[in-house]
Amino acid sequence: KVARSLENYSASDITNLVKEAAFEPFREYSDEELRGLSKYDIRAVQMKDFEAAKRTVLPSVTSKDVMMYLEWENKLGKAM
């Protein structure tokens, strides 16, 4: 489900999105609460974390960029 919603996200954008989603469970605790927790006390990353991350990490590739690369590929061919 996450992958299907990443149109126009670059590899770098996806890296940032995953990092942001991974921090979401930590945001449920205060700094003081975090100091007393073990890694097993913090919940796993869930779909809601990716949804929250998508509100702050936006795609950097526009539809215009995609069209430009497709035209370039058609004109010059694929690199591999």
Side-chain angles (χ1 to χ4, degrees):
K1 183 176 178 178
V2 173
R4 282 179 262 157
S5 70
L6 298 179
E7 187 172 329
N8 293 345
Y9 278 74
S10 69
S12 179
D13 297 336
I14 294 169
T15 298
N16 292 334
L17 178 77
V18 171
K19 287 179 182 179
E20 185 69 21
F23 276 104
E24 284 297 314
F26 292 93
R27 293 187 176 109
E28 296 174 357
Y29 301 97
S30 69
D31 289 344
E32 190 167 320
E33 289 172 321
L34 281 172
R35 286 186 199 97
L37 297 176
S38 79
K39 64 182 179 181
Y40 302 105
D41 294 325
I42 300 170
R43 68 170 176 79
V45 177
Q46 301 172 352
M47 182 59 69
K48 68 180 182 176
D49 301 317
F50 286 98
E51 291 165 355
K54 281 189 71 180
R55 289 191 287 274
T56 59
V57 179
L58 303 176
S60 64
V61 180
T62 66
S63 296
K64 185 178 177 181
D65 294 331
V66 172
M67 291 304 298
M68 180 187 70
Y69 288 120
L70 289 173
E71 289 172 12
W72 181 67
E73 181 181 303
N74 288 334
K75 183 178 178 182
L76 302 175
K78 294 183 179 181
M80 297 195 166

